[in-house]
Amino acid sequence: MDNFMAARSQMALSLGFHIIFSCIGMVMPFFMAVSHFIWLKSGKPVYQNITKAWSKGVAIFFATGAVSGTVLSFELGLLWPNFMKHAGPIFGMPFSLEGTAFFIEAIALGFFLYGWNRFNRWFHWFTGIVVGISGLMSGVLVVAANAWMNTPTGFNYVNGTYLNIDPIKAMFNPAWFSQALHMSIAAFAATGFAVAGIHALMVLRKRNVDFHLRSFKIAAIFGVIAAILQPLSGDISAKMVAKRQPAKLAAMEAHFVTRPATPLLIGGIPDEKNKKVDHAIELPGMLSFLIYDDFTTPVKGLDQIPEKDHPPVAVTHYAFQVMVALGMMMMALGILYLIAIWKKKNWFEKGWFLKLFIAATPIGFIAVEAGWTVTEVGRQPWIIQGVMRTADAVTPMPGIHYSFYLFTAVYFTLSLVVIFLLYRQIKMVPFIYDVKPKTLHQDQSL
């Protein structure tokens, strides 16, 4: 493994782990705030119990997210010094503001965890809201920095020199809104389905049924709403990619040859050597319609882009197909959930319904990983789209593969620790609020 591949692998590994920790850490405070609010309004002690249990999970993921995020910050300088040398002064503002949001989140989380029976109860609830908002803002700011790499603005690039730097314009680059919206909704969908799936498993096993059923409903409604909204944000993102990164869109769709009434491909195996796709289902004109709102306008294919600037087509296409397929699965399950709320409340007692959510536990995060694969692999060979190639940004320092092996071990160890802590937390849920299965129908409301 050469330095370039080791650096890319280490960055991919770090991002892959951190994105899961950060998604859960920035979304679960909102679940916690809802259960806390219901407890304050209803006085039902089970919701206080849910709030306290979830707050411990938030603390776990805040800690692991902070550690993995700090490592990523060091890796940017360690692995890509040429990139940081030139890009740091331009897109450093969102990172600086993200640090501020992180500090606010840490302070608010401390207030929340240690504020039980010490603060005014509504102020205490408000500190939990601040944890969620500041965590969400941290995610949005980091995504804004990544969006700048995809649509670099806020500077002039003249003869290898970066001039007229405008950090505000760089932060609010053309892609920041679409990427931040898409990522935020994805985080809610992934975390909502994951948390709901765990509680559904406990309900199916008849463990603390009242506690887990109410927890399941709160988490699921977040995931369901996000999953139904996600295609709308995906449409906004796709239009932005078509305008600013046509090579990425062409790789996502394995679109080799520009032609009118460009079809949308479902599935398929890209043959990059012969510039074709085997075994795909073609929907004539649909890609043209999705991008340009008509069925005839040709979408730019890879044949109009220099081959040296082509992304890896197969990886990008497969990741995109996985992301879309899993997103559609979550949306379909979300529609079933809404039917259960409005018309079929007895489904919450049915094993098949709970098993669907149990099976869906990991799919949101698989979709998130696939989406980030599309974002990063689809931008190659550029680290700054159209300005700096990834190969030109890598460190010349030898022995990066040893760093990759070390960080791989660290991240897998960290994951095992998180799994152990969460497992212990679930096992420690008190049984005082358990409800016998036969009485579930008596109180199906939140």
Side-chain angles (χ1 to χ4, degrees):
M1 182 183 292
D2 60 19
N3 260 14
F4 183 48
M5 183 55 67
R8 292 183 67 183
S9 299
Q10 183 173 327
M11 203 71 192
L13 176 81
S14 302
L15 282 169
F17 276 94
H18 177 68
I19 195 63
I20 295 176
F21 299 148
S22 60
C23 280
I24 298 173
M26 73 189 216
V27 169
M28 275 201 69
F30 291 101
F31 301 179
M32 180 180 75
V34 169
S35 63
H36 195 178
F37 179 82
I38 297 172
W39 171 61
L40 292 174
K41 296 296 288 185
S42 69
K44 293 181 180 179
V46 65
Y47 288 108
Q48 183 186 32
N49 199 40
I50 292 170
T51 304
K52 288 186 175 182
W54 277 347
S55 69
K56 293 176 182 178
V58 169
I60 291 170
F61 282 104
F62 175 82
T64 52
V67 171
S68 57
T70 301
V71 170
L72 272 172
S73 300
F74 285 118
E75 285 179 342
L76 283 172
L78 172 68
L79 302 176
W80 314 103
N82 291 332
F83 167 68
M84 291 304 295
K85 175 183 177 182
H86 298 289
I90 304 172
F91 80 148
M93 179 168 286
F95 278 130
S96 300
L97 294 176
E98 191 274 337
T100 302
F102 172 79
F103 291 139
I104 294 172
E105 182 183 8
I107 293 168
L109 182 59
F111 280 178
F112 187 85
L113 292 176
Y114 296 102
W116 290 98
N117 302 318
R118 292 181 175 88
F119 295 140
N120 172 279
R121 62 182 197 156
W122 285 106
F123 176 77
H124 184 223
W125 171 79
F126 176 72
T127 62
I129 293 290
V130 173
V131 173
I133 293 174
S134 55
L136 186 61
M137 289 307 302
S138 291
V140 168
L141 289 164
V142 170
V143 171
N146 179 266
W148 178 85
M149 296 165 67
N150 293 323
T151 57
T153 53
F155 65 97
N156 294 325
Y157 186 65
V158 181
N159 298 324
T161 304
Y162 298 81
L163 304 173
N164 303 321
I165 293 172
D166 184 346
I168 299 294
K169 189 175 181 180
M171 183 168 69
F172 295 107
N173 57 80
W176 84 267
F177 175 76
S178 61
Q179 276 196 222
L181 178 66
H182 195 60
M183 183 61 225
S184 298
I185 294 176
F188 275 95
T191 306
F193 276 91
V195 175
I198 292 170
H199 289 294
L201 178 62
M202 296 297 104
V203 174
L204 190 65
R205 292 179 174 179
K206 304 296 188 290
R207 307 273 183 85
N208 309 312
V209 177
D210 188 40
F211 174 94
H212 288 293
L213 182 61
R214 294 172 190 271
S215 303
F216 164 76
K217 289 183 177 182
I218 294 173
I221 197 64
F222 275 96
V224 164
I225 293 172
I228 292 173
L229 292 176
Q230 189 68 301
L232 299 177
S233 70
D235 180 66
I236 296 171
S237 294
K239 286 180 168 63
M240 176 57 65
V241 169
K243 181 178 180 181
R244 299 283 179 171
Q245 294 179 286
K248 178 185 287 187
L249 179 69
M252 288 160 57
E253 288 292 336
H255 177 39
F256 289 104
V257 180
T258 306
R259 52 173 163 160
T262 308
L264 181 72
L265 299 187
I266 299 177
I269 301 174
D271 182 349
E272 295 185 59
K273 181 179 180 181
N274 297 307
K275 311 299 181 186
K276 64 176 184 174
V277 183
D278 299 320
H279 313 300
I281 299 173
E282 290 193 3
L283 303 179
M286 281 303 298
L287 186 59
S288 294
F289 176 75
L290 290 173
I291 299 302
Y292 298 113
D293 297 323
D294 71 70
F295 290 95
T296 58
T297 304
V299 176
K300 189 174 184 179
L302 289 167
D303 59 331
Q304 294 190 10
I305 298 167
E307 193 159 349
K308 63 185 177 64
D309 295 336
H310 287 190
V313 176
V315 174
T316 308
H317 178 71
Y318 293 143
F320 179 68
Q321 294 291 312
V322 168
M323 179 186 70
V324 172
L326 295 179
M328 292 297 102
M329 289 171 60
M330 287 189 289
M331 186 172 70
L333 187 51
I335 293 171
L336 281 179
Y337 184 85
L338 295 180
I339 294 172
I341 289 177
W342 290 330
K343 298 290 185 181
K344 300 287 185 180
K345 294 186 184 298
N346 64 317
W347 283 4
F348 289 102
E349 301 178 47
K350 303 295 184 181
W352 66 267
F353 185 73
L354 295 171
K355 287 177 182 177
L356 286 176
F357 277 90
I358 294 168
T361 299
I363 67 174
F365 287 114
I366 297 172
V368 167
E369 298 285 7
W372 274 102
T373 300
V374 171
T375 298
E376 295 302 296
V377 176
R379 191 180 60 244
Q380 301 308 312
W382 305 100
I383 192 168
I384 307 175
Q385 179 70 39
V387 177
M388 177 183 287
R389 291 181 179 270
T390 309
D392 296 332
V394 71
T395 179
M397 184 178 71
I400 292 297
H401 58 285
Y402 295 116
S403 173
F404 169 63
Y405 300 145
L406 174 62
F407 277 92
T408 299
V410 169
Y411 275 111
F412 274 104
T413 302
L414 184 62
S415 297
L416 292 175
V417 170
V418 170
I419 291 170
F420 168 75
L421 291 174
L422 291 177
Y423 176 77
R424 190 178 69 169
Q425 178 61 30
I426 294 170
K427 295 285 286 185
M428 288 174 63
V429 171
F431 286 79
I432 189 170
Y433 301 115
D434 195 21
V435 177
K436 294 180 181 179
K438 66 180 182 181
T439 66
L440 284 179
H441 69 279
Q442 295 175 2
D443 185 5
Q444 291 291 351
S445 65
L446 287 176

